[in-house]
Amino acid sequence: MTETHATVPSAAPVFPPGRYGRRREPERRRPLLRWVLAAVLIAGLVLASTQLYQRYGDPEYKPEVITYADVDDTGVRVDFRVTVPAGGAAVCLVRARSHAGAEVGHEEVTVTAAPGQRHVTTRHRVATSERPFIGEVVRCRPAG
């Protein structure tokens, strides 16, 4: 005898017996446990990334050109200030460019801050292969 729609409740599907195995019982959901585990995981990742950045992160080495002067056929003098970590040192790339924009000279300059100081003011002359138009500090990085 086959079942008809009148004998089967409409919400439950009908499966032939023994064909699809045993149906699983619905498992208990634990949303609070999942949220707690996610929060612990996120907190651990934030803590680890903060500690790694403090240990290995790139501190700010900020160069600022004060002036460039004494421009002649052999070089230019560049006065600049660098912000470094307190008592730290930096290596700065100072370059000179011609009026056409071509680089005509560059040098790496090491600057060291006094203990407890964060700013270093330096004057450096860059030798050039032809008459420069401008002197500039391209970037600074940690010394060492």
Side-chain angles (χ1 to χ4, degrees), residues 89-114:
V91 176
C92 297
L93 178 63
V94 182
R95 77 174 174 185
R97 292 191 300 156
S98 68
H99 192 62
E103 183 178 289
V104 293
H106 69 272
E107 294 180 26
E108 286 192 340
V109 180
T110 302
V111 295
T112 305

Side-chain angles (χ1 to χ4, degrees), residues 70-84:
D70 296 337
V71 177
D72 59 23
D73 290 340
T74 61
V76 61
R77 187 190 77 216
V78 181
D79 297 340
F80 62 98
R81 178 179 312 129
V82 182
T83 303
V84 297

